[in-house]
Amino acid sequence: MALLKISEPGKRQSAINTKPAVGIDLGTTNSLISSGYRGNIEVLADTSGQFLLPSVVRYGKGVRPIVGWMAKEAAIGDPQNTVSSIKRLLGRGTSEVENMPQFEQYTFDASRDEGAPAIITEAGVKDPIQVSADILSELLSRAHDYIGEDIEGAVITVPAYFNDAQRQQTKEAANLIGLPVLRLLNEPTAAAIAYGLDSKEEGNVIVYDLGGGTFDVSLLCLKKGVFEVLATGGDTALGGDDFDYILSNWIAKQVYSDENPILEERGRLIAYANSVKHHLSLHESADLEFNNWRGSLNRKEFLEMCEPLVKKTINTCRRVLRDASLSVEQIDNIVMVGGSTRMPIVRQALESYFGRAPLAAIDPDKVVAMGAGIQAEVLAGNKSDNDFLLLDVNPLSLGIETMGELVEKIIPRNTTIPVAKAQEFTTFKDGQTSMIIHVVQGERELVSDCRSLARFELGGIPKMVAGAAKIRVTFQVDADGLLSVVAQELSTLKMSEIQVKPSFGLDAKAIEEMLRSSHQNAELDMELRAIKEAQIEGRQLIDAINSAREIDGDLLDELGHNHLDNLMHELSENISNGTIEEIREATERLNRVSSDFAASRMDLHIGHALKGEAIDNIDR
Amino acid sequence: MQSIKKNFFEFFELSESYDLDIEELSERYHELQKEFHPDKNFSETEAEKMRSVQLASFANEAYETLRSPLKRAAYILTIRGYDAELVDQSDLGMDLLIEQMRLRETLEELPKDESAFPDLEKLKKEVKEKLRTKQSNFALDAREENFVNAKKTFHELQFLYKLMLEIEENEELRLDY
């Protein structure tokens, strides 16, 4: 049993534990650190009073890395040695970087074909773990100024969609500077913690996170210290940058005759658009001046320009609500995260959709770091009364490949984990003794459109006619989101199993892409599914006739064989190239003709059975 | 000690009833998860860890089933020995089929863009109202242990839920996803 320490009057009140802990929001564009300080959780500022630390590191020859504002300023003059947005590279492979234009200016170390992409700088080769570690180190030294050197550990936040590799590398970055990780916490949960536990709110909460380059929505249910994630959604290619881009295009149109100014003007224009956007967050209108052009813009005009973007985010909210079977009236609070939620047009859109004003008590830039700080205090034992539990969900559906490359979903997306679900399958061919279990992830109906996670074989199935064997496939997802799959043949109880990491290598962008295409293709999928099913039916009929002919071929004369051959040939042609109607018609024709053959087989076998032949010999 | 052999109602220590107090259910679920969840059972042995995952999974499944009005109805029929998946044609009255056709036609005739949202909302409201009526019918049937009637009502609920799903899919098709 732990003994309670009694602190002396006037000493630090939170002295239940000995050491303070920190919460870190390690962001793509900016990072923050918070800690229990002077009895409250506070986001810590640097010596000039700035809370945000730009997640930018400059690596100069023979000097210590420079992190933050100074590095950000240097990025324009020294782009090759100044690394920004490194979070996007965490957990990535070298080959993936080629498709990311924002990293064009860097020279990557070509000698590493496998593993993490590493950037060649004047100070040596830097991989994403090293760069993240340098950012963490800068934040930590800030904390040392406030709370001393002796720190219990950190809670670091990650996007809810971060996969296993990305989480692992975030941890490694902390390990590199000797900072113990108490927990990796999902960003929306951290935001909800910041509001939920501080102000003791209960109910359904939408966390709307519009950052510089990404957008996430989570629906959480808070009740007596339990955070239940009901549904998640988002867009990894939508953020404040897109508003800047639209505004810069509009300005370009006023200044130049077309929207495409020369490249160096482009950078200046976007920076100018960004400052106009900030101005419009505080004022109703802005006077504009760029080169020799002068003009003005008000909020309403800006809203009209950006309406498609805002609408897109509202539609994502709509879908998340739908996934959770909740209506807007059932939402009790809207938590805003990310600097872009400062835009009044975003707040107004949220307010009009949800019918209530979003929470604005905590600075949207600080809210995630605040939540991390609170969780850090809890885990370090400094706040034992706030004992909460997080019930998370799996972001994408998990399923198995069935006949005809179709996907059978076993665990649908947004199911609370841990979870175990079983489904029974059967064999496709007579005498089939093994079965390939192909595990896939995604929302689409065809295997080729989903992500393949694992493939394994269940052998030793006793020989039976098609459809007689029973194979139970069980999917189990544990609390960390790790999937294991077990396949078992129910008559022999023979088992085969595999462990897979469902999100490994599947980044937020890919999840987004798969979700998006699943919606666009819902109708297409239905058609494809229908045609696949017709093809399967056709092939099954051909297989059945072939195996019947092997046994009882002598029941047919040459003409009969030819007739079947022709129809079977016609059917297989249609299976490969025909329309769904053609396949169905050809199947029907073959079915009709072969039914006489089937009838004579039946007569023969009944005759055998009546003569006392063993049943086994009938179906060799 | 909780056992995964119990039925879902027993597991949550609730009496078997369709009129479930969802608040109470979720409270019981949260209490149990605070006890079972792997995050609450850190430094245990492998066997205890496994048990924790199994119990937490079972709690999730039980909660998911009882929370959903349709799944809860099917579950009550199942534990009473009725096959909820088997639809007997005679269970479906002519009135039901005609009404379903009318509702479906209304849905199909809506414009294929966002201008349909208010009408979709209206249709949703109508179906929701019907769902509510059928749910109280089911509750009554179950309370009176008239499971033959309950099964008929369940199939009516299935139709309405399917329609609701289609309305929502229609909504989705009209979003820019």
Side-chain angles (χ1 to χ4, degrees):
Chain A
M1 196 190 128
L3 292 174
L4 289 178
K5 287 185 184 170
I6 299 167
S7 57
E8 279 177 53
K11 288 262 174 82
R12 224 175 134 241
Q13 282 301 301
S14 59
I16 303 167
N17 168 295
T18 45
K19 295 183 197 173
V22 293
I24 294 175
D25 172 3
L26 187 60
T28 308
T29 34
N30 292 299
S31 298
L32 299 96
I33 188 163
S34 70
S35 183
Y37 175 66
R38 295 187 303 213
N40 288 315
I41 305 292
E42 280 184 36
V43 174
L44 310 178
D46 66 11
T47 45
S48 56
Q50 298 271 11
F51 294 104
L52 295 178
L53 176 76
S55 304
V56 183
V57 188
R58 186 184 187 197
Y59 293 99
K61 201 169 190 172
V63 291
R64 282 183 48 194
I66 299 165
V67 185
W69 295 103
M70 274 169 66
K72 192 178 177 183
E73 277 160 30
I76 302 158
D78 185 19
Q80 291 89 352
N81 298 305
T82 312
V83 182
S84 26
S85 300
I86 198 67
K87 191 172 173 179
R88 292 187 189 276
L89 292 187
L90 275 176
R92 302 286 184 142
T94 310
S95 57
E96 289 174 275
V97 181
E98 288 160 16
N99 308 318
M100 302 172 95
Q102 72 261 49
F103 295 104
E104 266 169 11
Q105 73 264 38
Y106 303 122
T107 314
F108 285 93
D109 185 355
S111 66
R112 301 193 181 198
D113 348 312
E114 285 300 308
I119 297 167
I120 299 176
T121 72
E122 281 182 357
V125 179
K126 302 291 172 188
D127 67 16
I129 299 175
Q130 179 64 55
V131 180
S132 303
D134 288 330
I135 299 167
L136 287 174
S137 168
E138 180 72 22
L139 288 169
L140 200 60
S141 73
R142 189 185 285 187
H144 289 159
D145 294 343
Y146 284 83
I147 54 174
E149 300 278 332
D150 202 8
I151 288 172
E152 176 82 17
V155 167
I156 304 176
T157 59
V158 290
Y161 276 154
F162 247 25
N163 69 34
D164 200 69
Q166 291 167 309
R167 285 168 197 264
Q168 206 52 51
Q169 293 201 353
T170 306
K171 263 188 176 172
E172 280 170 38
N175 290 343
L176 209 56
I177 59 162
L179 174 66
V181 178
L182 299 172
R183 177 72 51 85
L184 293 178
L185 185 64
N186 287 341
E187 286 162 8
T189 314
I193 288 171
Y195 274 104
L197 290 189
D198 276 358
S199 48
K200 301 276 180 223
E201 295 282 356
E202 291 201 349
N204 296 316
V205 179
I206 281 277
V207 180
Y208 178 100
D209 181 351
L210 188 59
T214 59
F215 170 60
D216 279 298
V217 182
S218 300
L219 175 48
L220 306 166
C221 175
L222 284 96
K223 198 180 285 169
K224 290 188 185 154
V226 179
F227 291 77
E228 198 181 333
V229 180
L230 300 180
T232 61
D235 189 334
T236 48
L238 175 68
D241 300 349
D242 297 289
F243 292 79
D244 296 348
Y245 187 77
I246 285 181
L247 185 51
S248 74
N249 277 347
W250 180 83
I251 298 171
K253 224 180 196 168
Q254 317 300 312
V255 179
Y256 311 94
S257 50
D258 62 58
E259 286 183 18
N260 297 306
I262 39 173
L263 204 63
E264 49 206 78
E265 290 283 74
R266 178 94 252 173
R268 263 186 65 224
L269 256 175
I270 287 181
Y272 182 64
N274 181 272
S275 72
V276 173
K277 180 181 80 177
H278 285 293
H279 183 90
L280 283 174
S281 289
L282 301 169
H283 306 94
E284 274 299 324
S285 68
D287 292 323
L288 310 181
E289 189 180 345
F290 192 83
N291 290 355
N292 293 318
W293 170 83
R294 279 161 188 276
S296 75
L297 182 72
N298 64 33
R299 265 187 199 170
K300 195 164 166 278
E301 292 163 320
F302 183 48
L303 170 64
E304 277 162 22
M305 250 179 253
C306 298
E307 222 209 327
L309 292 180
V310 178
K311 217 163 100 186
K312 221 170 153 185
T313 69
I314 297 294
N315 282 344
T316 305
C317 295
R318 207 190 287 270
R319 200 164 63 77
V320 164
L321 285 181
R322 214 204 74 159
D323 275 357
S325 310
L326 286 182
S327 59
V328 285
E329 300 83 48
Q330 289 168 289
I331 299 303
D332 301 293
N333 278 306
I334 302 122
V335 170
M336 287 185 303
V337 183
S340 304
T341 60
R342 282 209 187 83
M343 281 186 277
I345 55 172
V346 170
R347 295 191 174 196
Q348 279 156 15
L350 279 171
E351 188 166 347
S352 87
Y353 177 65
F354 287 104
R356 63 169 61 235
L359 291 177
I362 306 178
D363 179 340
D365 281 327
K366 290 183 188 169
V367 61
V368 168
M370 290 286 290
I374 294 170
Q375 169 81 324
E377 288 284 277
V378 172
L379 292 176
N382 294 339
K383 246 193 175 182
S384 56
D385 52 333
N386 289 331
D387 186 20
F388 57 77
L389 172 67
L390 170 69
L391 297 170
D392 217 337
V393 297
N394 64 326
L396 285 173
S397 301
L398 297 164
I400 192 176
E401 173 173 352
T402 64
M403 275 189 302
E405 290 154 38
L406 296 175
V407 178
E408 179 80 30
K409 282 178 192 166
I410 295 190
I411 300 180
R413 73 161 186 266
N414 288 328
T415 302
T416 308
I417 53 175
V419 63
K421 292 217 170 164
Q423 202 142 317
E424 280 174 21
F425 293 89
T426 188
T427 45
F428 173 36
K429 290 198 172 187
D430 290 348
Q432 185 176 340
T433 55
S434 72
M435 191 181 218
I436 298 282
I437 310 286
H438 184 199
V439 183
V440 296
Q441 180 177 46
E443 309 309 314
R444 298 285 301 277
E445 301 218 327
L446 290 180
V447 168
S448 51
D449 297 324
C450 290
R451 187 165 187 111
S452 171
L453 292 179
R455 200 189 282 270
F456 65 104
E457 193 175 338
L458 173 70
I461 301 173
K463 285 190 180 181
M464 287 180 240
V465 287
K470 275 205 175 88
I471 288 104
R472 179 184 290 150
V473 178
T474 309
F475 274 45
Q476 183 157 26
V477 180
D478 70 13
D480 295 320
L482 300 177
L483 169 72
S484 53
V485 180
V486 179
Q488 185 173 36
E489 199 285 306
L490 293 180
S491 69
T492 56
L493 299 180
K494 200 172 165 71
M495 265 209 275
S496 183
E497 63 188 296
I498 198 163
Q499 260 224 339
V500 277
K501 292 174 179 175
S503 51
F504 188 83
L506 187 61
D507 57 33
K509 181 91 191 156
I511 289 180
E512 163 68 20
E513 204 36 63
M514 283 161 75
L515 280 175
R516 193 195 297 272
S517 68
S518 120
H519 294 297
Q520 281 166 348
N521 294 297
E523 283 180 53
L524 184 68
D525 275 359
M526 302 262 272
E527 274 170 44
L528 283 173
R529 186 166 191 131
I531 201 164
K532 284 272 175 196
E533 277 166 0
Q535 287 168 343
I536 291 164
E537 208 180 310
R539 270 191 217 111
Q540 278 180 324
L541 182 61
I542 293 175
D543 282 351
I545 292 172
N546 277 336
S547 59
R549 278 216 292 198
E550 267 174 42
I551 302 162
D552 293 322
D554 47 357
L555 286 175
L556 286 170
D557 56 12
E558 200 186 332
L559 199 68
H561 275 297
N562 283 345
H563 201 172
L564 280 180
D565 279 341
N566 288 339
L567 288 171
M568 277 159 70
H569 180 72
E570 180 203 30
L571 177 56
S572 28
E573 284 285 297
N574 278 319
I575 287 173
S576 322
N577 307 311
T579 65
I580 182 160
E581 285 80 23
E582 284 165 345
I583 300 171
R584 281 185 182 150
E585 281 160 20
T587 308
E588 185 49 38
R589 272 197 293 279
L590 180 58
N591 218 344
R592 238 177 297 137
V593 171
S594 63
S595 61
D596 289 345
F597 174 44
S600 40
R601 283 190 78 205
M602 189 92 87
D603 292 344
L604 173 75
H605 291 164
I606 289 170
H608 275 301
L610 290 176
K611 277 181 215 150
E613 292 233 358
I615 304 279
D616 281 352
N617 292 341
I618 297 173
D619 229 27
R620 267 166 283 173
Chain B
M1 196 69 199
Q2 287 299 327
S3 150
I4 56 177
K5 288 200 183 88
K6 287 179 180 164
N7 89 30
F8 294 162
F9 288 105
E10 290 162 4
F11 183 74
F12 290 120
E13 289 168 22
L14 295 166
S15 50
E16 183 197 317
S17 149
Y18 187 69
D19 281 322
L20 205 57
D21 182 347
I22 298 294
E23 282 294 304
E24 197 185 350
L25 170 71
S26 93
E27 235 165 72
R28 294 290 301 129
Y29 165 68
H30 286 164
E31 276 166 30
L32 291 177
Q33 281 296 32
K34 276 184 187 170
E35 191 184 321
F36 302 149
H37 198 277
D39 280 3
K40 294 283 173 191
N41 296 281
F42 289 128
S43 45
E44 311 270 344
T45 64
E46 274 307 310
E48 282 169 326
K49 257 186 212 159
M50 185 115 106
R51 184 170 162 76
S52 150
V53 172
Q54 280 172 348
L55 278 168
S57 305
F58 189 79
N60 281 335
E61 192 195 346
Y63 180 55
E64 189 193 302
T65 305
L66 294 191
R67 184 171 52 167
S68 145
L70 190 66
K71 286 183 189 164
R72 182 166 71 244
Y75 186 70
I76 288 176
L77 289 172
T78 309
I79 55 180
R80 290 301 186 139
Y82 290 81
D83 186 352
E85 278 178 33
L86 193 79
V87 184
D88 191 345
Q89 281 301 320
S90 67
D91 282 352
L92 309 170
M94 204 52 187
D95 292 355
L96 171 81
L97 296 174
I98 288 171
E99 188 190 67
Q100 278 291 317
M101 266 162 67
R102 179 183 66 79
L103 290 168
R104 268 159 210 279
E105 271 166 19
T106 316
L107 180 60
E108 272 163 32
E109 281 161 11
L110 291 177
K112 300 290 172 233
D113 56 28
E114 290 185 23
S115 68
F117 278 141
D119 284 329
L120 279 169
E121 271 313 310
K122 226 163 66 196
L123 196 60
K124 231 166 143 174
K125 233 182 183 154
E126 189 185 341
V127 177
K128 254 186 198 159
E129 199 47 55
K130 288 183 193 303
L131 272 171
R132 216 164 303 160
T133 314
K134 293 295 164 204
Q135 281 170 15
S136 39
N137 290 354
F138 188 95
L140 190 70
D141 294 338
R143 224 177 299 136
E144 290 173 351
E145 308 222 343
N146 185 346
F147 291 105
V148 177
N149 251 358
K151 189 164 179 287
K152 278 184 193 168
T153 314
F154 169 70
H155 294 313
E156 292 176 355
L157 277 172
Q158 272 183 308
F159 266 105
L160 290 168
Y161 269 100
K162 184 86 204 310
L163 185 63
M164 196 62 151
L165 207 68
E166 276 164 39
I167 296 172
E168 282 172 350
E169 271 164 14
N170 265 275
E171 245 175 15
E172 184 130 322
L173 284 174
R174 288 167 174 84
L175 300 175
D176 352 324
Y177 255 92

